Amino acid sequence: MSSAKIYVTRQLPEAALSLLNGCGELRVWEPDEVIPRDVLLREVQEIDALLCMVTERIDEELLAQAHRLRIVANMAVGYDNVEVPALTRRGIVLTNTPGVLTETTADLVFTLILGCARRIGEAERIVREGRWRSWSPFAFLGRDVHHATLGILGLGRIDMEVAKRAKGFDMRVLYANRGRNREAEEKLGCVPVDFPTLLRESDFVTVLVPLTSDTRHLLSTPQFKLMKPTAFLINAARGPIVDQRALYEALRDGLIAGAALDVTDPEPIPQDDPLLTLDNCLILPHIGSASIATRTRMATLAAENIAAFLSGNRPPTPVNPEVLNQDA
Ligand code: DGY
C-alpha cells in the first residue's frame, strides 16, 4: 500500500518519522501543541493510518469523517482516549505501546512516592522563592519510605516494577487485584489483600489501573476515610480514577497526609483548581513515560505498528486483534 496516506498528530523522534516516511505519504502536525479538533477532523478524511497521542479523542464523530482509515496507532499504553468498540465495528485496528515504558513509568511512580513523603515540591519552592532562612531541626519533616507499607491497586506490568523498587527500600508490599499474581507473591513477597484492607494498612497507596467506567472515581471520600491520616495517595494512571474534589477535601481536612499526581482531571489542571493551593499535593504534568529513550521507543513502536500493517503484516501490539483475524 505504497500510496497510503499517514497522519501524525505530533512531531516525533526522527527514527519513527523516517520509518513512516518509507510507508507512504506522511503528514505531521508540526506545532508543539495539541492539534485543534477541527484540523484533526479535516485531516482524517483522506488518510489510511493515524498515529495519535492520548490528547486526541478518537470517537464516533471522528470516525464518521474517516472513510479510509484502517489503523490507529496510539502512542501510549493507555487508550481510554479511544472508543475501541467504534473502531472494531468499522474494522479499524487500534494499537498501543505496551512494555516499552514499564520501567520508566515505575521510576516515576517511585519518584512520586519519595517526592510526597519527603515534601520535595514544597521544599524546592521555598528555596527557589528565596524563603529558605536556615537549617532547622523541624523544617520539612516528612515520612520515611523505607520499611513503610506500600499498597498497590491492581498489579500489572508497571506495578511489578514498582514492587521491585519497593523491595529495595525494604517496604512491605500489599496488593489488591481481581486475580492473584503468584509471580509477585513468590518473587517479590507481595501480599494479596482486599481493597479496604489495603486502604487501611498502607502508608502509600498507588493506583495504576486503566481508566474504565468501573475505575472512574475508584478513590473518593469513602476510600480516603479508610486510609490512615498519615498515608499518601499516588496516581500515575489517569486523572478521573481519583475524585479530585474529594481528594482536595481529604487533603485539606487531614483525612490523608498527602498526594502525588502525575495525572489530573482535566489535563492540564486549571490554574484555579483548589488542589494547587495545597502544599501537601505534588502535581506533575503527565510525565510518567517521559525519558528520552522511552519516548523514542514508544514513537518507534507506534510507527512499527503502522509500517507492519501497511505492508500486510500483523502489527506487533494490537488492542483489538479480532479485527486482524477477520481480515485473515
Ligand atoms: C500512557 O502510555 O498511557 C501514558 O499515560 C502516556 O504517556
Side-chain angles (χ1 to χ4, degrees):
M1 217 198 255
S2 62
S3 61
K5 291 192 166 68
I6 307 163
Y7 195 79
V8 177
T9 61
R10 210 71 185 234
Q11 267 299 341
L12 294 181
E14 196 40 51
L17 290 182
S18 56
L19 184 59
L20 291 172
N21 249 321
C23 302
E25 195 185 313
L26 176 65
R27 284 164 51 80
V28 179
W29 172 250
E30 305 276 347
D32 187 19
E33 60 190 38
V34 176
I35 183 169
R37 181 73 176 172
D38 59 325
V39 177
L40 182 60
L41 290 181
R42 205 168 53 239
E43 292 290 354
V44 293
Q45 289 174 13
E46 297 299 324
I47 61 170
D48 303 281
L50 175 67
L51 195 159
C52 64
M53 314 291 128
V54 288
T55 42
E56 280 78 66
R57 232 175 41 255
I58 309 299
D59 55 9
E60 288 282 2
E61 183 196 29
L62 180 140
L63 296 174
Q65 311 287 316
H67 306 292
R68 289 176 51 161
L69 190 61
R70 303 286 316 284
I71 178 165
V72 174
N74 205 36
M75 194 180 119
V77 66
Y79 45 85
D80 47 282
N81 57 313
V82 180
E83 285 179 16
V84 185
L87 264 75
T88 305
R89 264 198 312 279
R90 290 172 165 84
I92 300 171
V93 184
L94 171 66
T95 65
N96 66 342
T97 61
V100 294
L101 47 73
T102 306
E103 287 162 285
T104 300
T105 307
D107 286 350
L108 196 273
V109 171
F110 231 83
T111 306
L112 292 172
I113 293 172
L114 292 164
C116 62
R118 299 301 301 272
R119 303 173 61 179
I120 297 302
E122 254 181 287
E124 208 257 359
R125 275 193 295 279
I126 291 282
V127 175
R128 200 172 277 276
E129 290 164 11
R131 289 187 286 129
W132 184 34
R133 296 285 166 254
S134 69
W135 186 93
S136 148
F138 296 108
F140 291 103
L141 301 186
R143 301 268 167 188
D144 283 327
V145 171
H146 66 85
H147 295 97
T149 297
L150 174 66
I152 299 179
L153 284 174
L155 198 56
R157 251 188 283 233
I158 299 171
D159 299 306
M160 287 283 281
E161 287 296 322
V162 172
K164 214 195 269 178
R165 283 152 183 73
K167 213 175 159 217
F169 278 72
D170 293 317
M171 295 180 91
R172 173 176 172 241
V173 183
L174 310 177
Y175 78 96
N177 199 16
R178 285 215 180 100
R180 294 279 289 271
N181 183 330
R182 305 279 173 192
E183 190 190 345
E185 291 175 29
E186 281 154 27
K187 288 201 185 139
L188 301 169
C190 298
V191 179
V193 292
D194 59 25
F195 187 21
T197 306
L198 180 131
L199 294 171
R200 269 194 296 269
E201 292 194 12
S202 301
D203 299 305
F204 300 91
V205 173
T206 73
V207 56
L208 266 170
V209 295
L211 173 63
T212 64
S213 49
D214 288 342
T215 61
R216 185 173 292 272
H217 289 192
L218 180 67
L219 291 146
S220 189
T221 307
Q223 290 71 41
F224 300 139
K225 282 188 173 155
L226 288 180
M227 289 171 68
K228 301 184 202 179
T230 52
F232 296 85
L233 174 71
I234 288 92
N235 183 11
R238 289 292 184 264
I241 291 171
V242 174
D243 177 346
Q244 215 157 272
R245 180 74 210 178
L247 176 64
Y248 166 71
E249 287 165 5
L251 292 170
R252 182 198 59 194
D253 301 343
L255 278 185
I256 64 174
L261 313 174
D262 183 41
V263 287
T264 56
D265 179 21
E267 290 180 5
I269 187 167
Q271 276 306 297
D272 62 355
D273 190 294
L275 274 181
L276 293 174
T277 64
L278 298 177
D279 264 335
N280 55 349
C281 192
L282 177 64
I283 305 181
L284 300 182
H286 201 151
I287 56 168
S289 60
S291 76
I292 297 166
T294 291
R295 284 287 165 82
T296 302
R297 280 195 295 262
M298 289 167 71
T300 308
L301 177 54
E304 282 166 0
N305 272 298
I306 290 180
F309 180 80
L310 292 180
S311 56
N313 296 314
R314 191 181 171 84
T317 51
V319 169
N320 55 351
E322 61 273 28
V323 168
L324 297 165
N325 300 340
Q326 278 163 17
D327 281 355

